[in-house]
Amino acid sequence: MAGARTAAATASAGSPASSGNPPPQEPGLGELLEEFSRTQYRAKDGSGTGGSKVERIEKRCLELFGRDYCFSVIPNTNGDICGHYPRHIVFLEYESSEKEKDTFESTVQVSKLQDLIHRSKMARCRGRFVCPVILFKGKHICRSATLAGWGELYGRSGYNYFFSGGADDAWADVEDVTEEDCALRSGDTHLFDKVRGYDIKLLRYLSVKYICDLMVENKKVKFGMNVTSSEKVDKAQRYADFTLLSIPYPGCEFFKEYKDRDYMAEGLIFNWKQDYVDAPLSIPDFLTHSLNIDWSQYQCWDLVQQTQNYLKLLLSLVNSDDDSGLLVHCISGWDRTPLFISLLRLSLWADGLIHTSLKPAEILYLTVAYDWFLFGHMLVDRLSKGEEIFFFCFNFLKHITSEEFSALKTQRRKSLPARDGGFTLEDICMLRRKDRGSTTSLGSDFSLVMENSPGATGSFTYEAVELVPAGAPTQAAWRKSHSSSPQSVLWNRPQPSEDRLPSHQGLVEARSSSSSSSNHSDNFFRMGSSPLEVPKPRLAALSDRETRLQEVRSAFLAAYSSTVGLRAVAPSPSGAIGGLLEQFARGVGLRGISSNAL
């Protein structure tokens, strides 16, 4: 079956009306989050317990895709292709508007695509093959797991016994391995050449040129054995024709520290000295100069800066003048991968470049449902361990509202008229936490440290006040170099002393010239330190991008609060976390929150 083509004309056009406060909610978003926090999605379980809910989620995703795209559906009934990919895998062919249809027309035959998928699925961990999920300017942005190693290819069922448990590197269940797979694994001595050859054919068929690897390891090692591999260490150099980018990013375990620091990403730096971390940042030289980022400092970046800079890099790749697609993957492809796929989707949407007819609540639903839930993110397991990468993703939208993250080629609003008095809009309010381990900042005093006033004194909390950005110039558009033999820039700097923290004396030092927006990108005035508090709009005029991303974030916080809720850090010295949801409820007018959400 080649797939059922679905045109935008057949999609439902209904959408909730916007309202001021609380944020407008997508019908079914609460049900989606409740189901998501109850169980991991498995394609083979779609008709079982909770099947009707899952079917509604799947149907709604198809409706939302159909608003703006003509697409085909690749059937994955009962997880025949991959047990934790959607049962209805959407292949976007072209935008449904007449203008875009004439500009970009799909050259992919769905029947051939399906054949390549079936043949290549064994090449990657858990069978999570290269899957296109975003269509931008005729380019496919894809996701997958990393390459499978010998262990998985020849003994997946045995490894399942040792590596089960829901971690990022856990393995699929025994029943995911078919008899055909076992026969192929045991009988073909050239298995790597065959399956990786089909993987490469699939990448080329989707016109993918850039492969971004988020692993902090070259190979995943468990009990002294390599259990996965990656393109960057393929001994046969099969992937040499692709542009490989090693951009190591902390795994989901690191987000336990994010939660333990009261959901504070500023100043949270990954420990690059750990023994298993052996993949340095490596980016082809022709890609490193246009973004005005000091990549050699990547081991000194906090979680905000690192996420911002990697997102800028990904946006520059998809916004280049060529027609090359992009693949993003980590190990299993269901934690770090959906984080960056979601940020890409929401950032391009905020610029009005994709999903142009969807409202904030609708794009939020699509991103949560398709990018996270239907692609198998284990929210239940992550919440039980405090690894809240899912919450981080949508709360992080406040850090990418500025124009430097825009994919629009034209220069947009740069600044506003200067204010009366001694301050200009180029004065940036840099905020910090007085005590990062404390939850007592709900009533903290604060003062403003201005860029031209290094001697200003006082204490304040980043979460207590967030101000409008100073109108930094729009980041120059990425321009592709025509180097035929690009050199790679490889950095593996020594880690500073572990107890060394970024300086916060006087003017808070800019951690990177390209990531200053981490301190001033939330264009709302907020009192209190609750991560779930819905921001209150300021009087200052916001750009369309800022407004749209803030509406998405506010809608997420409202829905997350009333369904999942924050998990309290135990013990909580001040008890402040226990009152976060109540504070949020008062802010949006909810009647109350069930205590078992904490």
Side-chain angles (χ1 to χ4, degrees):
M1 176 178 177
R5 174 167 297 188
T6 308
T10 63
S12 171
S15 63
S18 297
S19 59
N21 194 14
Q25 293 290 317
E26 163 72 13
L29 180 59
E31 180 182 72
L32 166 62
L33 288 173
E34 287 176 353
E35 181 68 14
F36 196 7
S37 62
R38 185 188 67 85
T39 184
Q40 182 191 18
Y41 173 83
R42 303 279 296 194
K44 65 182 181 181
D45 297 334
S47 58
T49 304
S52 59
K53 294 181 181 178
V54 173
E55 288 174 0
R56 284 195 294 271
I57 294 169
E58 293 169 332
K59 181 180 178 181
R60 183 58 175 161
C61 286
L62 296 180
E63 291 174 349
L64 294 174
F65 275 120
R67 295 276 188 87
D68 299 287
Y69 297 93
C70 290
F71 63 86
S72 296
V73 172
I74 300 174
N76 184 35
T77 308
N78 298 320
D80 297 335
I81 306 176
C82 179
H84 14 74
Y85 269 15
R87 290 190 301 172
H88 309 290
I89 299 172
V90 174
F91 174 68
L92 302 176
E93 299 187 45
Y94 50 83
E95 291 193 48
S96 55
S97 67
E98 289 300 320
K99 177 182 178 182
E100 294 298 334
K101 181 177 178 180
D102 294 336
T103 305
F104 304 108
E105 187 169 354
S106 175
T107 59
V108 174
Q109 298 177 4
V110 178
S111 58
K112 184 173 181 179
L113 178 62
Q114 285 184 268
D115 181 66
L116 286 173
I117 286 173
H118 278 282
R119 293 176 182 272
S120 68
K121 63 180 182 178
M122 285 178 54
R124 297 197 171 261
C125 176
R126 300 174 174 273
R128 293 175 69 90
F129 57 87
V130 176
C131 184
V133 289
I134 300 175
L135 184 65
F136 173 55
K137 292 173 29 175
K139 308 173 188 181
H140 292 291
I141 301 174
C142 308
R143 63 182 293 170
S144 73
T146 190
L147 294 178
W150 284 102
E152 184 173 7
L153 289 176
Y154 285 104
R156 191 168 173 182
S157 60
Y159 276 107
N160 178 71
Y161 175 80
F162 293 100
F163 306 121
S164 59
D168 187 48
D169 55 321
W171 297 93
D173 293 336
V174 176
E175 56 265 33
D176 287 342
V177 183
T178 65
E179 293 182 4
E180 179 183 359
D181 291 342
C182 294
L184 179 58
R185 289 170 183 171
S186 60
D188 195 333
T189 58
H190 303 289
L191 186 57
F192 267 172
D193 284 338
K194 177 173 289 188
V195 296
R196 290 189 180 176
Y198 281 124
D199 183 67
I200 290 171
K201 287 182 179 179
L202 176 58
L203 287 166
R204 288 175 174 165
Y205 194 60
L206 293 170
S207 298
V208 170
K209 176 182 179 182
Y210 304 105
I211 299 179
C212 294
D213 183 350
L214 296 166
M215 296 171 59
V216 297
E217 313 95 333
N218 287 320
K219 297 182 178 181
K220 186 66 180 180
V221 178
K222 204 75 171 178
F223 302 123
M225 297 180 291
N226 295 328
V227 294
T228 72
S229 184
S230 61
E231 299 89 352
K232 59 182 177 283
V233 292
D234 180 66
K235 293 181 179 179
Q237 296 292 303
R238 299 176 183 89
Y239 294 85
D241 291 338
F242 298 90
T243 301
L244 305 180
L245 297 89
S246 175
I247 49 175
Y249 190 84
C252 63
E253 299 86 356
F254 184 64
F255 288 84
K256 173 66 162 58
E257 298 186 36
Y258 165 69
K259 177 217 170 185
D260 289 346
R261 290 165 60 92
D262 302 332
Y263 302 89
M264 191 74 173
E266 292 80 3
L268 180 58
I269 301 175
F270 181 67
N271 179 11
W272 297 95
K273 285 185 173 181
Q274 298 173 85
D275 292 339
Y276 70 94
V277 178
D278 60 358
L281 185 141
S282 177
I283 307 173
D285 185 61
F286 73 94
L287 297 175
T288 62
H289 302 299
S290 59
L291 292 174
N292 192 30
I293 294 173
D294 185 359
W295 294 101
S296 67
Q297 296 296 313
Y298 81 97
Q299 292 188 353
C300 300
W301 295 338
D302 65 11
L303 186 58
V304 171
Q305 292 171 288
Q306 189 175 24
T307 309
Q308 286 179 322
N309 289 339
Y310 284 8
L311 179 61
K312 289 179 184 177
L313 176 64
L314 297 178
L315 287 169
S316 72
L317 295 178
V318 300
N319 203 35
S320 60
D321 292 329
D322 60 19
D323 58 354
S324 301
L326 168 69
L327 170 65
V328 179
H329 76 75
C330 50
I331 297 179
S332 295
W334 57 25
D335 288 305
R336 290 167 283 186
T337 297
L339 166 62
F340 282 98
I341 290 295
S342 296
L343 293 178
L344 278 171
R345 190 186 301 278
L346 291 168
S347 182
L348 293 171
W349 166 83
D351 287 332
L353 298 175
I354 62 174
H355 301 289
T356 55
S357 72
L358 298 190
K359 297 178 180 179
E362 293 170 336
I363 191 67
L364 171 62
Y365 185 97
L366 181 64
T367 305
V368 171
Y370 197 74
D371 294 336
W372 289 88
F373 176 65
L374 295 178
F375 272 89
H377 176 68
M378 303 177 68
L379 183 61
V380 180
D381 177 81
R382 302 299 182 253
L383 289 175
S384 69
K385 297 176 180 177
E387 300 167 352
E388 299 206 28
I389 188 172
F390 173 68
F391 177 82
F392 170 82
C393 175
F394 295 94
N395 194 42
F396 187 78
L397 294 179
K398 64 183 178 180
H399 294 297
I400 62 170
T401 59
S402 64
E403 299 297 326
E404 60 188 318
F405 297 95
S406 174
L408 293 174
K409 296 263 186 175
T410 57
Q411 294 261 331
R412 301 207 294 190
R413 176 179 61 87
K414 290 186 178 181
S415 62
L416 293 173
R419 295 170 293 185
D420 293 333
F423 301 131
T424 69
L425 284 182
E426 297 305 317
D427 294 326
I428 304 174
C429 295
M430 310 295 282
L431 308 174
R432 68 178 177 90
R433 288 184 70 101
K434 180 171 63 176
D435 180 4
R436 292 186 177 274
S438 172
T439 58
T440 61
S441 59
L442 289 172
S444 297
D445 296 331
F446 65 91
S447 65
L448 303 182
V449 179
M450 305 308 297
E451 188 171 348
N452 59 353
S453 304
T457 59
S459 62
F460 46 86
T461 302
Y462 174 83
E463 285 292 308
V465 180
E466 299 177 25
L467 300 177
V468 68
T474 302
Q475 176 67 49
W478 184 86
R479 293 190 295 273
K480 182 174 183 290
S481 169
H482 295 284
S483 171
S484 59
S485 175
Q487 299 295 318
S488 290
V489 176
L490 186 68
W491 290 291
N492 194 4
R493 293 173 55 86
Q495 171 71 12
S497 174
E498 292 182 13
D499 58 359
R500 180 181 177 184
L501 295 176
S503 173
H504 295 288
Q505 300 300 320
L507 167 64
V508 178
E509 296 178 0
R511 302 182 185 101
S512 167
S513 61
S514 66
S515 59
S516 61
S517 64
S518 65
N519 290 317
H520 57 81
S521 58
D522 191 354
N523 304 307
F524 290 83
F525 189 92
R526 293 175 53 194
M527 296 303 297
S529 63
S530 168
L532 287 180
E533 184 178 358
V534 173
K536 298 177 178 61
R538 288 176 49 86
L539 297 178
L542 303 181
S543 69
D544 288 343
R545 174 184 175 84
E546 293 169 320
T547 300
R548 299 179 83 180
L549 287 176
Q550 295 293 5
E551 288 180 0
V552 171
R553 178 171 173 258
S554 295
F556 173 79
L557 294 179
Y560 195 87
S561 170
S562 61
T563 53
V564 182
L566 295 182
R567 266 48 176 181
V569 180
S572 178
S574 67
I577 290 291
L580 293 179
L581 298 184
E582 294 181 6
Q583 181 180 356
F584 166 80
R586 291 194 300 269
V588 299
L590 298 176
R591 288 179 176 271
I593 305 294
S594 175
S595 60
N596 61 16
L598 292 174

